[in-house]
Amino acid sequence: AQKVTQAQTEISVVEKEDVTLDCVYETRDTTYYLFWYKQPPSGELVFLIRRNSFDEQNEISGRYSWNFQKSTSSFNFTITASQVVDSAVYFCALSEAGNNAGNMLTFGGGTRLMVKP
Amino acid sequence: EPEVTQTPSHQVTQMGQEVILRCVPISNHLYFYWYRQILGQKVEFLVSFYNNEISEKSEIFDDQFSVERPDGSNFTLKIRSTKLEDSAMYFCASTLTSGVFNEQFFGPGTRLTVL
Protein backbone atom coordinates (compact mmCIF):
# COMPACT_ATOMS: atom_id res chain seq x y z
CA ALA A 1 0.00 0.00 0.00
CA GLN A 2 1.11 3.51 -0.70
CA LYS A 3 2.05 5.97 2.01
CA VAL A 4 3.39 9.51 2.14
CA THR A 5 5.10 10.93 5.21
CA GLN A 6 5.82 14.56 5.88
CA ALA A 7 7.67 14.49 9.16
CA GLN A 8 7.71 18.25 9.65
CA THR A 9 4.28 19.30 10.85
CA GLU A 10 5.20 22.95 11.22
CA ILE A 11 8.13 25.12 10.15
CA SER A 12 8.67 28.75 10.98
CA VAL A 13 11.22 30.89 9.14
CA VAL A 14 12.00 34.55 8.74
CA GLU A 15 11.47 36.13 5.37
CA LYS A 16 14.33 35.62 2.90
CA GLU A 17 15.47 32.41 4.54
CA ASP A 18 15.60 29.25 2.47
CA VAL A 19 13.43 26.39 3.65
CA THR A 20 13.18 22.72 2.68
CA LEU A 21 10.04 20.66 3.16
CA ASP A 22 10.63 16.94 3.38
CA CYS A 23 8.55 14.21 1.80
CA VAL A 24 9.17 10.48 2.03
CA TYR A 25 6.98 8.00 0.21
CA GLU A 26 6.36 4.26 0.11
CA THR A 27 5.11 2.35 -2.89
CA ARG A 28 5.51 -1.08 -4.43
CA ASP A 29 4.84 0.24 -7.91
CA THR A 30 7.65 1.12 -10.25
CA THR A 31 5.42 3.58 -12.09
CA TYR A 32 4.06 6.43 -10.05
CA TYR A 33 3.73 10.18 -9.85
CA LEU A 34 4.65 12.54 -7.03
CA PHE A 35 3.01 15.88 -6.44
CA TRP A 36 3.25 18.96 -4.30
CA TYR A 37 0.22 21.08 -3.52
CA LYS A 38 -0.03 24.37 -1.65
CA GLN A 39 -3.04 25.10 0.53
CA PRO A 40 -3.24 28.78 1.48
CA PRO A 41 -5.49 29.97 4.33
CA SER A 42 -8.36 30.31 1.85
CA GLY A 43 -8.42 26.50 1.66
CA GLU A 44 -8.10 25.60 -2.01
CA LEU A 45 -5.46 23.17 -3.24
CA VAL A 46 -2.99 24.80 -5.59
CA PHE A 47 -1.04 22.42 -7.81
CA LEU A 48 2.70 23.12 -7.76
CA ILE A 49 4.47 20.25 -9.47
CA ARG A 50 4.12 16.70 -10.75
CA ARG A 51 7.04 14.35 -11.19
CA ASN A 52 7.02 10.86 -12.68
CA SER A 53 9.00 7.97 -11.30
CA PHE A 54 11.21 7.72 -14.36
CA ASP A 55 12.54 11.23 -14.18
CA GLU A 56 14.91 11.96 -11.32
CA GLN A 57 16.10 15.25 -12.65
CA ASN A 58 15.79 18.05 -10.19
CA GLU A 59 13.49 20.85 -11.20
CA ILE A 60 13.60 24.56 -10.57
CA SER A 61 10.78 27.01 -11.07
CA GLY A 62 11.59 30.49 -9.90
CA ARG A 63 12.18 30.34 -6.13
CA TYR A 64 10.91 26.76 -5.97
CA SER A 65 13.00 23.67 -6.51
CA TRP A 66 12.39 19.97 -6.08
CA ASN A 67 14.82 17.17 -5.34
CA PHE A 68 13.62 13.68 -6.26
CA GLN A 69 15.75 10.78 -5.03
CA LYS A 70 14.44 7.28 -5.66
CA SER A 71 17.27 5.77 -3.62
CA THR A 72 15.85 7.34 -0.47
CA SER A 73 12.21 7.51 -1.66
CA SER A 74 12.19 11.23 -1.08
CA PHE A 75 10.78 14.19 -2.96
CA ASN A 76 11.83 17.30 -1.10
CA PHE A 77 10.71 20.83 -1.86
CA THR A 78 12.87 23.90 -1.31
CA ILE A 79 11.73 27.50 -1.30
CA THR A 80 14.56 29.95 -1.76
CA ALA A 81 14.36 33.44 -0.28
CA SER A 82 11.00 32.76 1.34
CA GLN A 83 8.31 35.40 1.37
CA VAL A 84 5.34 36.00 3.65
CA VAL A 85 3.03 34.95 0.81
CA ASP A 86 4.60 31.49 0.95
CA SER A 87 2.89 30.92 4.29
CA ALA A 88 0.57 27.97 3.74
CA VAL A 89 0.21 24.25 4.30
CA TYR A 90 2.11 22.21 1.77
CA PHE A 91 1.08 18.68 0.86
CA CYS A 92 3.10 16.02 -0.86
CA ALA A 93 1.07 13.35 -2.67
CA LEU A 94 1.57 10.07 -4.53
CA SER A 95 -0.34 8.45 -7.35
CA GLU A 96 0.36 4.86 -8.35
CA ALA A 97 -0.19 3.24 -11.70
CA GLY A 98 -1.31 -0.01 -10.13
CA ASN A 99 -4.28 1.15 -8.10
CA ASN A 100 -7.78 0.52 -9.32
CA ALA A 101 -9.00 4.04 -8.76
CA GLY A 102 -7.44 5.59 -11.78
CA ASN A 103 -4.94 8.04 -10.46
CA MET A 104 -6.25 8.42 -6.93
CA LEU A 105 -3.93 10.54 -4.80
CA THR A 106 -2.52 9.60 -1.43
CA PHE A 107 -1.56 12.68 0.55
CA GLY A 108 0.94 13.23 3.29
CA GLY A 109 -0.06 14.93 6.49
CA GLY A 110 1.09 18.33 5.32
CA THR A 111 3.66 20.82 6.57
CA ARG A 112 2.50 24.20 7.80
CA LEU A 113 5.00 26.83 6.75
CA MET A 114 4.95 30.18 8.49
CA VAL A 115 7.12 32.91 7.04
CA LYS A 116 7.51 35.86 9.35
CA PRO A 117 8.42 39.34 8.10
CA GLU B 1 -8.76 27.86 -18.72
CA PRO B 2 -11.26 25.13 -17.84
CA GLU B 3 -11.73 24.48 -14.14
CA VAL B 4 -13.63 22.33 -11.71
CA THR B 5 -16.33 24.20 -9.83
CA GLN B 6 -18.07 23.32 -6.59
CA THR B 7 -21.21 24.59 -4.92
CA PRO B 8 -21.89 25.71 -2.33
CA SER B 9 -18.62 27.06 -1.02
CA HIS B 10 -19.88 26.66 2.54
CA GLN B 11 -22.75 24.52 3.79
CA VAL B 12 -24.05 24.54 7.34
CA THR B 13 -26.43 21.80 8.39
CA GLN B 14 -27.92 20.27 11.48
CA MET B 15 -26.84 16.84 12.63
CA GLY B 16 -29.03 14.16 11.10
CA GLN B 17 -29.86 16.14 7.99
CA GLU B 18 -28.96 15.11 4.47
CA VAL B 19 -26.67 17.26 2.35
CA ILE B 20 -25.77 17.20 -1.31
CA LEU B 21 -22.49 18.69 -2.43
CA ARG B 22 -22.26 19.58 -6.07
CA CYS B 23 -19.38 19.60 -8.48
CA VAL B 24 -19.08 20.44 -12.15
CA PRO B 25 -15.99 18.66 -13.50
CA ILE B 26 -14.10 19.83 -16.54
CA SER B 27 -16.34 19.11 -19.50
CA ASN B 28 -14.35 16.46 -21.37
CA HIS B 29 -13.08 14.67 -18.29
CA LEU B 30 -14.18 11.11 -17.63
CA TYR B 31 -12.94 10.27 -14.13
CA PHE B 32 -14.26 11.98 -11.06
CA TYR B 33 -13.20 11.95 -7.43
CA TRP B 34 -14.22 13.14 -4.01
CA TYR B 35 -11.71 13.83 -1.26
CA ARG B 36 -12.25 14.97 2.30
CA GLN B 37 -10.11 17.09 4.59
CA ILE B 38 -11.04 17.35 8.24
CA LEU B 39 -9.82 20.66 9.62
CA GLY B 40 -6.09 20.61 10.26
CA GLN B 41 -5.63 17.13 8.85
CA LYS B 42 -4.57 15.61 5.57
CA VAL B 43 -6.61 15.25 2.43
CA GLU B 44 -8.17 11.78 2.21
CA PHE B 45 -9.55 9.93 -0.79
CA LEU B 46 -13.22 9.04 -0.58
CA VAL B 47 -14.33 7.69 -3.93
CA SER B 48 -13.63 7.57 -7.65
CA PHE B 49 -16.28 7.36 -10.33
CA TYR B 50 -16.15 6.36 -13.97
CA ASN B 51 -18.69 5.37 -16.58
CA ASN B 52 -21.55 6.02 -14.16
CA GLU B 53 -20.31 3.75 -11.46
CA ILE B 54 -17.96 3.75 -8.51
CA SER B 55 -14.55 2.39 -9.49
CA GLU B 56 -12.96 2.55 -6.06
CA LYS B 57 -13.88 3.72 -2.60
CA SER B 58 -12.06 4.09 0.68
CA GLU B 59 -13.15 2.71 4.03
CA ILE B 60 -14.41 6.17 4.90
CA PHE B 61 -17.00 5.94 2.13
CA ASP B 62 -19.61 3.87 3.92
CA ASP B 63 -23.35 3.54 3.39
CA GLN B 64 -23.86 7.07 4.62
CA PHE B 65 -22.32 8.37 1.41
CA SER B 66 -23.38 8.11 -2.20
CA VAL B 67 -22.30 9.67 -5.47
CA GLU B 68 -24.17 10.34 -8.62
CA ARG B 69 -23.80 11.94 -12.01
CA PRO B 70 -27.40 12.95 -12.54
CA ASP B 71 -26.80 14.66 -15.87
CA GLY B 72 -23.96 15.30 -18.26
CA SER B 73 -22.30 17.94 -16.17
CA ASN B 74 -22.88 17.58 -12.42
CA PHE B 75 -21.21 15.14 -10.06
CA THR B 76 -22.73 15.01 -6.60
CA LEU B 77 -21.81 13.67 -3.19
CA LYS B 78 -24.74 12.94 -0.91
CA ILE B 79 -24.24 12.51 2.81
CA ARG B 80 -27.23 11.04 4.59
CA SER B 81 -27.92 11.67 8.25
CA THR B 82 -24.90 13.88 8.81
CA LYS B 83 -22.80 13.52 11.94
CA LEU B 84 -20.63 16.07 13.70
CA GLU B 85 -17.52 14.28 12.45
CA ASP B 86 -18.60 14.83 8.84
CA SER B 87 -17.59 18.46 9.25
CA ALA B 88 -14.76 18.91 6.78
CA MET B 89 -13.71 20.42 3.49
CA TYR B 90 -14.83 18.29 0.58
CA PHE B 91 -12.89 18.52 -2.65
CA CYS B 92 -14.04 17.31 -6.03
CA ALA B 93 -11.50 16.46 -8.71
CA SER B 94 -11.57 15.26 -12.28
CA THR B 95 -9.18 13.89 -14.84
CA LEU B 96 -9.35 13.05 -18.50
CA THR B 97 -8.24 9.44 -18.29
CA SER B 98 -7.24 7.01 -15.60
CA GLY B 99 -3.59 6.89 -16.54
CA VAL B 100 -1.27 7.79 -13.72
CA PHE B 101 0.41 10.42 -15.83
CA ASN B 102 -2.72 12.50 -16.13
CA GLU B 103 -3.08 15.48 -13.85
CA GLN B 104 -5.99 15.59 -11.47
CA PHE B 105 -7.73 18.96 -11.35
CA PHE B 106 -9.22 20.00 -8.01
CA GLY B 107 -12.18 22.22 -7.34
CA PRO B 108 -12.04 24.96 -4.68
CA GLY B 109 -13.81 22.79 -2.10
CA THR B 110 -17.02 22.93 -0.11
CA ARG B 111 -16.68 23.52 3.60
CA LEU B 112 -19.33 21.47 5.40
CA THR B 113 -20.16 22.38 8.98
CA VAL B 114 -22.44 20.04 10.91
CA LEU B 115 -23.94 21.53 14.07
Side-chain angles (χ1 to χ4, degrees):
Chain A
Q2 64 272 30
K3 185 179 177 183
V4 178
T5 302
Q6 295 179 252
Q8 307 147 308
T9 54
E10 205 165 286
I11 299 176
S12 181
V13 299
V14 176
E15 207 169 20
K16 296 184 184 174
E17 283 185 17
D18 299 347
V19 58
T20 295
L21 311 182
D22 298 333
C23 173
V24 174
Y25 62 93
E26 294 175 30
T27 177
R28 284 186 280 226
D29 272 16
T30 55
T31 304
Y32 52 89
Y33 249 104
L34 295 162
F35 302 77
W36 277 96
Y37 286 86
K38 174 181 180 180
Q39 187 175 45
S42 50
E44 73 271 26
L45 288 169
V46 178
F47 169 80
L48 295 178
I49 190 173
R50 175 182 54 171
R51 207 92 185 120
N52 79 61
S53 52
F54 302 116
D55 183 1
E56 285 192 75
Q57 277 196 336
N58 292 334
E59 183 156 338
I60 298 174
S61 175
R63 296 184 298 107
Y64 295 169
S65 62
W66 290 270
N67 181 275
F68 176 28
Q69 293 197 338
K70 286 178 80 169
S71 60
T72 55
S73 297
S74 65
F75 185 45
N76 296 337
F77 171 33
T78 297
I79 301 175
T80 303
S82 59
Q83 300 175 1
V84 173
V85 293
D86 296 327
S87 296
V89 180
Y90 291 85
F91 289 98
C92 180
L94 166 72
S95 176
E96 294 177 322
N99 71 59
N100 295 322
N103 52 349
M104 159 195 125
L105 294 174
T106 297
F107 286 81
T111 297
R112 180 177 299 279
L113 173 65
M114 291 176 291
V115 182
K116 299 176 182 176
Chain B
E1 186 176 322
E3 58 182 17
V4 177
T5 59
Q6 291 185 242
T7 54
S9 56
H10 191 187
Q11 172 97 44
V12 181
T13 190
Q14 294 291 324
M15 191 168 57
Q17 295 296 305
E18 175 182 286
V19 295
I20 297 177
L21 309 184
R22 291 184 166 78
C23 168
V24 179
I26 294 172
S27 62
N28 62 337
H29 283 187
L30 301 175
Y31 291 79
F32 314 112
Y33 308 82
W34 284 101
Y35 291 83
R36 180 183 81 174
Q37 184 186 27
I38 294 172
L39 185 64
Q41 298 186 23
K42 67 178 177 182
V43 180
E44 300 171 290
F45 168 76
L46 288 178
V47 65
S48 61
F49 191 86
Y50 168 71
N51 200 26
N52 277 322
E53 59 182 29
I54 291 173
S55 49
E56 189 72 20
K57 58 183 181 178
S58 72
E59 56 199 26
I60 302 170
F61 194 89
D62 59 22
D63 292 343
Q64 186 195 5
F65 295 91
S66 61
V67 290
E68 193 178 32
R69 191 153 159 83
D71 53 43
S73 58
N74 289 285
F75 178 49
T76 62
L77 174 68
K78 182 189 290 186
I79 309 175
R80 287 180 281 275
S81 189
T82 50
K83 299 177 281 196
L84 294 177
E85 52 265 38
D86 294 327
S87 294
M89 181 77 99
Y90 289 83
F91 291 102
C92 172
S94 71
T95 188
L96 180 58
T97 73
S98 67
V100 70
F101 299 116
N102 287 283
E103 181 184 340
Q104 208 163 109
F105 292 81
F106 280 86
T110 292
R111 184 170 298 284
L112 176 65
T113 301
V114 183
L115 303 176

